[in-house]
Amino acid sequence: MLVLTRKVGESIKINEDIKITVIEVKGKNIRLGIEAPKETKIYREEVFIKIRQENESAASSRKFDLGQISQLIKKR
């Protein structure tokens, strides 16, 4: 992990198009401003982990046999 020290108002750049600026430090909390292209997905880590878990759960869920579903619908 790269560790950098920045003061309020200072920034770091990631590639040519992402800029992260320290907006405010208040106790243990740090407010960051992120400038990135709209297509860049930015999540809090806990949200990212939850999304990934939900996607993995959906991908491994029971798969349906469309033929059986079609037969069930026809029987109604």
Side-chain angles (χ1 to χ4, degrees), residues 32 34 41-51:
L32 300 173
I34 302 169
K41 296 178 181 176
I42 302 170
Y43 302 101
R44 291 179 177 90
E45 184 178 32
E46 62 274 17
V47 172
F48 178 81
I49 290 169
K50 183 74 175 171
I51 291 169

Side-chain angles (χ1 to χ4, degrees), residues 1-73:
M1 175 189 304
L2 172 67
V3 179
L4 301 171
T5 301
R6 301 277 64 201
K7 295 177 182 174
V8 172
E10 294 182 335
S11 302
I12 62 169
K13 290 281 287 181
I14 300 173
N15 293 327
E16 292 294 322
D17 55 356
I18 299 175
K19 180 179 176 182
I20 301 172
T21 303
V22 178
I23 304 296
E24 179 181 31
V25 178
K26 199 180 233 181
K28 292 183 177 181
N29 295 318
I30 300 170
R31 291 185 68 207
L32 300 173
I34 302 169
E35 296 174 47
K38 288 185 176 192
E39 63 272 11
T40 302
K41 296 178 181 176
I42 302 170
Y43 302 101
R44 291 179 177 90
E45 184 178 32
E46 62 274 17
V47 172
F48 178 81
I49 290 169
K50 183 74 175 171
I51 291 169
R52 188 175 62 195
Q53 288 171 342
E54 291 292 326
N55 287 340
E56 289 173 357
S57 175
S60 66
S61 68
R62 187 174 168 193
K63 297 188 179 184
F64 296 101
D65 181 347
L66 293 178
Q68 288 180 339
I69 293 173
S70 176
Q71 288 177 355
L72 289 172
I73 293 172

